[in-house]
Amino acid sequence: DQQVKQNSPSLSVQEGRISILNCDYTNSMFDYFLWYKKYPAEGPTFLISISSIKDKNEDGRFTVFLNKSAKHLSLHIVPSQPGDSAVYFCAASAEGNKLVFGAGTILRVKS
Amino acid sequence: NAGVMQNPRHLVRRRGQEARLRCSPMKGHSHVYWYRQLPEEGLKFMVYLQKENIIDESGMPKERFSAEFPKEGPSILRIQQVVRGDSAAYFCASSLRLAGGKDTQYFGPGTRLTVL
């Protein structure tokens, strides 16, 4: 039962343009959402999060949007840089408990 | 380095041996989570521990796997009688467990277990 889905296995973007990574969830009990970035052979690195009481959170080049009615969130990276090339995981939790992860999206930023 | 520490980074075991994976949380964090990532998949929750307590082990296989977080020392994930299907990357995360559920987990570099 995949409660968190990232339907795009990969995304390729030109340097300087916007990268948009998408995530859908099914569990309406989720109240906290996070994005992690992961390089090969390393652990996930926390990027940005959003509480279910908000619809947008911004941190530098990274913005996360939450649409609760559609059970959808997205991560925008602008401008994209070659160093952003990595696997991006969407994760969700309910009442601060375990994280449920999506399968990840491989982002390639071409220079 | 105040980050989450895991060791060993790589562990090779033969079928039937035991694997012990260690995790030291970030300074000040008393909540530890273990996740497993199989090839080509996302991370899957295994167990959530506080000092001397297992809070949620709903993701742990019923047999051969155990976890502890003693009062002193690192958290240990123990896999007895390993099989090839246990080969995976095992990640530990820690958090402050803030009130209100806004609980960000920070991950260690992982232990890559290979079972021959």
Side-chain angles (χ1 to χ4, degrees):
Chain A
D1 175 26
Q2 270 191 295
Q3 298 185 65
V4 178
K5 294 183 183 179
Q6 294 177 254
N7 291 317
S8 298
S10 64
L11 174 68
S12 188
V13 170
Q14 197 68 35
E15 181 180 6
R17 306 295 289 268
I18 186 170
S19 295
I20 300 177
L21 298 106
N22 293 302
C23 179
D24 297 292
Y25 63 96
T26 57
N27 188 344
S28 57
M29 297 300 293
F30 288 146
D31 58 6
Y32 192 51
F33 303 88
L34 309 91
W35 284 94
Y36 288 86
K37 172 182 177 180
K38 186 180 181 302
Y39 293 116
E42 294 185 13
T45 299
F46 170 70
L47 275 178
I48 192 168
S49 61
I50 188 166
S51 165
S52 59
I53 61 173
K54 294 187 174 181
D55 55 18
K56 177 183 174 181
N57 188 26
E58 194 171 350
D59 184 1
R61 295 186 300 116
F62 302 92
T63 303
V64 56
F65 295 92
L66 175 62
N67 182 333
K68 281 186 66 178
S69 61
K71 293 192 175 68
H72 177 85
L73 63 155
S74 61
L75 174 68
H76 293 209
I77 306 172
V78 57
S80 301
Q81 300 172 353
D84 295 330
S85 298
V87 181
Y88 288 78
F89 289 100
C90 168
S93 70
E95 299 180 342
N97 289 318
K98 62 190 178 189
L99 292 177
V100 180
F101 281 85
T105 296
I106 300 170
L107 173 65
R108 295 187 186 90
V109 180
K110 299 176 289 187
S111 55
Chain B
N1 184 349
V4 178
M5 308 286 286
Q6 288 188 253
N7 68 82
R9 293 293 306 275
H10 300 274
L11 183 60
V12 179
R13 285 287 178 266
R14 296 191 181 279
R15 279 180 298 170
Q17 291 184 319
E18 179 180 286
R20 283 192 179 223
L21 289 64
R22 296 175 196 79
C23 169
S24 296
M26 285 179 71
K27 189 175 182 179
H29 288 191
S30 59
H31 301 265
V32 165
Y33 304 78
W34 286 93
Y35 294 82
R36 174 166 67 174
Q37 185 182 24
L38 296 170
E40 309 301 323
E41 293 187 14
L43 282 73
K44 296 283 196 294
F45 168 79
M46 298 182 75
V47 61
Y48 163 34
L49 309 106
Q50 278 182 268
K51 287 282 187 182
E52 300 183 281
N53 283 306
I54 295 175
I55 307 301
D56 180 355
E57 56 182 345
S58 59
M60 287 275 271
K62 299 296 180 204
E63 297 177 352
R64 301 188 297 109
F65 285 73
S66 63
E68 63 177 6
F69 189 14
K71 189 176 180 181
E72 301 291 337
S75 174
I76 307 285
L77 179 67
R78 182 182 178 205
I79 312 172
Q80 294 178 290
Q81 299 173 329
V82 295
V83 301
R84 288 214 174 108
D86 296 332
S87 295
Y90 292 81
F91 293 99
C92 169
S94 72
S95 75
L96 276 173
R97 187 72 180 188
L98 294 174
K102 313 299 186 287
D103 192 47
T104 299
Q105 295 179 24
Y106 296 89
F107 284 81
T111 293
R112 276 142 193 89
L113 173 65
T114 302
V115 180
L116 302 177

